[in-house]
Amino acid sequence: MAAPQGTGLADGGMPDELSGVALPDSRLPETFGYSLKRRLLGPPLVNDQISEERLSRPLALGVLSCDGISSAAYGTEEMLIEMIQVVGLAAFTLILPMTLVILAGVALVVLSYREVVSVYTRAGGSYVVARENFGPRVAQVAAVALLIDYTVTVAVQTAAGSAAIVSAFPQLGSIPVIGPDILTVISVIAVLIMCYGNLRGIREAGRAFALPTYLFSVSVGLMIIIGLARELTSGLPHVSPYSGATFPIGHSTEGILSLGLIYMLAKAFANGGSSLTGIEAVSNAVSALRPPEGRNARQILVTQGSIVAFLIAGISWLAHVTHAIPYEAGYPTVLAQEANVVFGTAGHFMYFVVQAATALILFTGGNTSFSGFPFLASFVAGDSFLPRWLTKRGHRLALSNGIIVLTIVSLVLLISTGAKVNGLIPFYAIGVFTGFSMAGFGMAKYHRRVKESGWRRRLVINRTAAVYTAIVVAIFAVVKFTEGAWVIVVVFPLLVLLLIRLNRQYRMEAEVLQNISERAATITLRQPNYSRRVVLIFVDSVDLATFAAIRYARGLRPTTVRAVHFVIDAAQADKLRENWVRFGQGIPLEMIDTPDRRLLRASVELVSQEAAQNGTHVTVVLPRRSYSPLLGRLLHDRTADKIASVVSRVPNSAATIIPFDVESRVQVLHARHAAHLAATGAAAGQTPAPVQTTEKSPAAAAQVGKEDGSEVRAAVLPPGVTPIGALSGPGKATIEGKVRAVEIRPVEQNCVFECTVTDGTGTLTAMFYGRTHIPGVEPGARLRLDGKVSMREDGPAMINPAYQLLPRGAAE
């Protein structure tokens, strides 16, 4: 069917912009999202830039202990909040025996995790212990516990750090509009900064992350020592009252063994248990330590536990002496009040040092979750218990999906609780102490199974720690149930069941694929012999997307090809028929009445009817117009995808979607129109623009170029090595470059191992016949190839060249 004059059709009746001629600049343009990501996060990092930095003991103590040591900043205050509302000032006496119970817990957890790091010297902590001793399904209890722990740690630590800042500068609470919510504002900003920094790929294994730990430990330790000295010499005064409401002071006179007071002590003990959080962080990063990893981890654990115990005991003693009382607003904190009394006016600058150190270590402790949570989520996803997209590394090699999930959940917690530490504590300890219990019971089972030297002593330690922490979980679930712990009590088992359900789905999919693989191994693959091949083009309008589908359909060389339109709107169908007569390319159009508008059902019925004929295979070609991702999803229902989904289930049929990017085709039209105007001007006698040659000298070929919008730096080549871009004809040559891709292809009765090598100036294909694998030759490796070059349509090639593996990173 000839195209009518003036219709804009060319090249066999096809629209000009579908003729397949490349644009002068055929590189794929960068999307707005990628360009924005590049500006915000910087240039992408490549896989070779993943490095493992081993930590020395002093550096590891600072980096890995910040979460555990920082919890001392609010542990005492959380115990006082519960006790002072019931027994009043007697709380400052009860705080001492309560602190001793908490210190006993610190000792048990440290001793228990000493056994963990002695046996399991790779990352994973309680999850690895539970998986190795109870199996992967039971280990999901530990996985959920740790994931909750990491999430709430971000919220608690940033909320406490914000309280330290406002304690130093209480005037922040008077700022108009945001003053009443100043803790929430600061916490949200801090979390967003952490998210941004971790998406950029900051590393914890730096001295900057160790500094807050030492600064906090030294400054608060100095405060405790000076406070004890002043108490022994001249005595410490009580704290002066601050503006703002304190927690109500109770006046209970009931006996210490009354149910009310026992309940109160249980709540105080549960709150104080928050001081134990973070101690396990060393076990989650044992593999990051210098060898011998196990011994170094044990020493770090003991040192960390000693510092935590000293700080908790000292802060509790100063609270006992100074009567520092918690405030409902969350500030000034008990620690800030103690520092103000201890240093007084003479050393008031140290008050600000303590507050700065407290804020720094709390924010740094919160930031540790941004590496721990994504890593654990990736670990669990690798075991097929979480979605596998959590294992993917992002633009800067960070586990970006896990970072974003952690940010969203922690922000929800902060905003919903007003960034109050006391409001977040009910969400906290259940996850933390469940992880402790799983590690303790897991190690107890390990000792009973292995029975190594001294196993009975180790068994007692781990089992005692497990029982202690399990009791904490039970107490917390009961006494904090109405204050928010019910959320964790309900969500915890649901998450465990969800992870097990996800794993079941993954296993079912893997089993199906494995069955197919085993069956395929026993079947000789052959080309299906269909005597009749029918191609149906489903059309709803005559436009460029439809023409693209027609072009693809003709390329299939079918026995029969016809277009099909399901009539839903008679007026639209008449208009389509008129346009089809004009532009139909000689392909018959079939109109099928669909009064019930069930396109999916009509499609399946038509395809089933065609495919039921003997020796017939049906291919449905569906044109799909592609628009911007956001508006496209809002404005279009992706009918083609739905039809393809149901049609593909019909035996002897297949569905193919032909995407048509509207925006890129508009650019094609503009480019061709500009080229036409330029050609018309040249024919009228205008001076044509100078044409730049595409030939490159060897020197020019080795210069910096760009590929897909990102810089590609050509290697600085040694003498005798020719840039790939300078290869212009057959002959002997030596080239160096990085392996971009490898492929194994059958060739008649043989096979060929093919690798694509690039040096930044061009690409070369190296083919090794009779090989299926060459050790070391893999994507990312660097090669030197020496052999005879032949020129193919897709570029230069070498057959069975001499090769030499080069060190990775050389000349890059």
Side-chain angles (χ1 to χ4, degrees):
M1 177 178 178
Q5 187 176 1
T7 61
L9 301 183
D11 190 20
M14 298 308 296
D16 188 51
E17 54 274 10
L18 296 179
S19 63
V21 179
L23 289 174
D25 183 5
S26 58
R27 294 177 302 179
L28 180 66
E30 299 294 359
T31 63
F32 172 76
Y34 181 82
S35 299
L36 181 62
K37 182 193 296 185
R38 186 182 176 91
R39 287 182 177 275
L40 291 176
L41 304 180
L45 299 180
V46 299
N47 293 338
D48 289 346
Q49 292 175 271
I50 298 178
S51 60
E52 294 186 5
E53 181 180 347
R54 294 289 183 139
L55 304 178
S56 63
R57 280 201 303 263
L59 189 58
L61 177 64
V63 171
L64 303 178
S65 301
C66 56
D67 187 10
I69 292 176
S70 65
S71 60
Y74 49 80
T76 297
E77 181 169 350
E78 292 305 312
M79 289 188 283
L80 285 173
I81 287 174
E82 295 298 337
M83 292 190 293
I84 205 166
Q85 297 180 73
V86 178
V87 297
L89 297 182
F92 296 111
T93 300
L94 290 175
I95 190 65
L96 297 181
M98 187 62 64
T99 299
L100 290 177
V101 178
I102 298 300
L103 294 182
V106 172
L108 282 173
V109 171
V110 168
L111 291 174
S112 178
Y113 272 88
R114 282 185 82 254
E115 303 304 321
V116 172
V117 298
S118 297
V119 177
Y120 299 97
T121 57
R122 54 197 174 114
S126 59
Y127 177 73
V128 172
V129 175
R131 189 181 65 173
E132 297 296 327
N133 292 283
F134 298 118
R137 291 168 66 89
V138 176
Q140 301 319 303
V141 176
V144 171
L146 288 172
L147 291 173
I148 292 175
D149 174 22
Y150 282 129
T151 302
V152 185
T153 292
V154 175
V156 171
Q157 298 284 78
T158 52
S162 302
I165 292 175
V166 182
S167 296
F169 304 100
Q171 57 270 29
L172 292 173
S174 329
I175 297 176
V177 182
I178 66 172
D181 301 313
I182 189 63
L183 294 180
T184 303
V185 172
I186 296 176
S187 299
V188 168
I189 293 174
V191 170
L192 292 177
I193 291 174
M194 293 177 194
C195 175
Y196 176 70
N198 282 276
L199 287 176
R200 284 188 62 91
I202 62 173
R203 291 184 58 82
E204 287 191 355
R207 288 176 173 80
F209 285 90
L211 178 62
T213 302
Y214 287 105
L215 182 62
F216 176 80
S217 301
V218 171
S219 60
V220 176
L222 183 63
M223 179 195 76
I224 294 171
I225 293 172
I226 293 177
L228 291 174
R230 288 189 59 186
E231 171 65 15
L232 292 175
T233 55
S234 59
L236 276 177
H238 290 178
V239 297
S240 302
Y242 291 78
S243 60
T246 64
F247 280 91
I249 300 177
H251 302 282
S252 175
T253 57
E254 298 180 22
I256 194 66
L257 295 180
S258 68
L259 291 177
L261 285 183
I262 292 175
Y263 184 74
M264 176 274 297
L265 291 174
K267 294 180 71 175
F269 170 69
N271 273 17
S274 61
S275 299
L276 277 67
T277 59
I279 292 177
E280 81 288 356
V282 176
S283 68
N284 294 328
V286 180
S287 58
L289 303 178
R290 291 178 181 173
E293 294 88 348
R295 187 182 68 184
N296 289 335
R298 291 195 299 273
Q299 293 176 354
I300 293 169
L301 271 170
V302 172
T303 305
Q304 174 190 250
S306 302
I307 294 173
V308 170
F310 172 73
L311 295 180
I312 294 173
I315 293 171
S316 294
W317 175 261
L318 290 179
H320 162 73
V321 173
T322 62
H323 286 196
I325 189 170
Y327 282 75
E328 288 186 345
Y331 59 88
T333 62
V334 167
L335 182 60
Q337 296 175 58
E338 293 175 356
N340 194 36
V341 170
V342 169
F343 294 116
T345 56
H348 196 57
F349 76 96
M350 283 300 300
Y351 167 80
F352 292 102
V353 171
V354 170
Q355 294 310 106
T358 303
L360 282 174
I361 193 174
L362 286 166
F363 288 140
T364 305
N367 188 72
T368 59
S369 292
F370 278 91
S371 60
F373 179 96
F375 180 83
L376 176 64
S378 173
F379 203 35
V380 177
D383 290 341
S384 299
F385 284 92
L386 279 176
R388 287 175 180 158
W389 47 263
L390 287 169
T391 64
K392 295 182 178 179
R393 293 192 177 271
H395 187 74
R396 301 281 293 179
L397 295 180
L399 294 163
S400 304
N401 292 328
I403 292 173
I404 293 172
V405 170
L406 176 62
T407 300
I408 293 172
V409 178
S410 59
L411 286 177
V412 170
L413 284 173
L414 283 167
I415 294 172
S416 61
T417 59
K420 300 288 181 62
V421 175
N422 191 54
L424 288 163
I425 288 297
F427 302 100
Y428 202 10
I430 290 181
V432 177
F433 283 92
T434 300
F436 290 166
S437 295
M438 294 296 294
F441 285 122
M443 289 305 301
K445 184 175 181 180
Y446 171 84
H447 296 315
R448 288 182 61 86
R449 184 179 74 251
V450 177
K451 296 185 178 180
E452 74 281 19
S453 175
W455 68 273
R456 288 185 175 85
R457 173 179 56 83
R458 295 183 171 91
L459 175 64
V460 170
I461 292 173
N462 285 120
R463 185 169 287 173
T464 304
V467 172
Y468 174 91
T469 51
I471 290 173
V472 176
V473 172
I475 292 174
F476 217 99
V478 172
V479 302
K480 292 290 185 178
F481 187 83
T482 58
E483 297 178 23
W486 67 269
V487 176
I488 304 299
V489 172
V490 172
V491 169
F492 198 109
L494 292 179
L495 286 177
V496 173
L497 293 176
L498 176 61
L499 265 59
I500 294 174
R501 178 66 184 85
L502 286 174
N503 177 257
R504 185 186 309 157
Q505 181 66 28
Y506 276 131
R507 285 190 290 108
M508 289 172 60
E509 293 172 357
E511 183 179 353
V512 169
L513 293 173
Q514 182 64 31
N515 288 340
I516 292 175
S517 301
E518 293 173 354
R519 183 181 177 187
T522 64
I523 299 175
T524 302
L525 298 179
R526 60 183 183 275
Q527 182 70 23
N529 184 20
Y530 294 109
S531 59
R532 181 170 176 264
R533 297 178 181 272
V534 177
V535 174
L536 303 177
I537 308 170
F538 286 5
V539 299
D540 59 355
S541 63
V542 180
D543 55 18
L544 294 179
T546 302
F547 281 121
I550 292 173
R551 184 177 188 176
Y552 176 83
R554 282 178 166 164
L556 297 176
R557 302 183 182 277
T559 307
T560 304
V561 58
R562 69 180 192 268
V564 176
H565 175 71
F566 296 103
V567 180
I568 296 176
D569 185 325
Q572 180 186 357
D574 290 339
K575 185 177 180 180
L576 173 65
R577 183 183 295 106
E578 292 176 5
N579 289 331
W580 193 261
V581 171
R582 186 181 181 193
F583 300 109
Q585 302 293 298
I587 297 177
L589 174 65
E590 181 178 347
M591 296 284 189
I592 298 178
D593 187 30
T594 314
D596 58 2
R597 299 170 303 284
R598 300 174 68 183
L599 291 179
L600 302 185
R601 183 183 183 90
S603 302
V604 170
E605 289 177 349
L606 174 63
V607 173
S608 300
Q609 181 180 352
E610 289 285 347
Q613 302 181 40
N614 292 333
T616 299
H617 184 273
V618 180
T619 300
V620 175
V621 177
L622 297 152
R624 181 177 67 190
R625 296 109 185 128
S626 299
Y627 302 91
S628 63
L630 178 60
L631 290 179
R633 291 185 180 276
L634 293 175
L635 303 179
H636 305 279
D637 60 358
R638 293 184 175 265
T639 305
D641 299 80
K642 299 175 183 177
I643 294 176
S645 176
V646 296
V647 165
S648 298
R649 301 174 189 172
V650 177
N652 297 325
S653 70
T656 301
I657 294 176
I658 307 300
F660 185 88
D661 186 17
V662 177
E663 183 178 356
S664 68
R665 301 303 177 179
V666 170
Q667 295 174 0
V668 171
L669 283 174
H670 288 168
R672 295 193 179 281
H673 181 64
H676 176 71
L677 292 179
T680 304
Q686 299 179 5
T687 303
V691 179
Q692 297 180 352
T693 179
T694 58
E695 293 186 5
K696 300 179 182 178
S697 66
Q703 299 303 312
V704 174
K706 285 202 171 186
E707 182 177 329
D708 290 344
S710 58
E711 293 185 2
V712 177
R713 180 169 56 84
V716 179
L717 301 176
V721 176
T722 304
I724 297 175
L727 299 174
S728 57
K732 290 273 294 181
T734 300
I735 65 102
E736 287 185 5
K738 178 185 286 189
V739 177
R740 190 174 66 184
V742 297
E743 182 182 1
I744 303 171
R745 293 190 294 106
V747 178
E748 296 180 353
Q749 302 300 320
N750 206 336
C751 62
V752 59
F753 179 80
E754 186 175 291
C755 63
T756 304
V757 180
T758 179
D759 65 355
T761 69
T763 58
L764 178 142
T765 303
M767 294 173 286
F768 299 88
Y769 283 86
R771 306 286 293 271
T772 60
H773 174 66
I774 299 178
V777 179
E778 57 190 20
R782 289 192 57 80
L783 288 179
R784 173 179 293 171
L785 300 177
D786 185 20
K788 187 176 180 180
V789 178
S790 60
M791 303 304 295
R792 306 193 307 180
E793 291 183 1
D794 57 350
M798 288 184 178
I799 298 177
N800 293 329
Y803 67 91
Q804 176 185 350
L805 286 170
L806 301 176
R808 284 181 182 258
E812 290 186 27

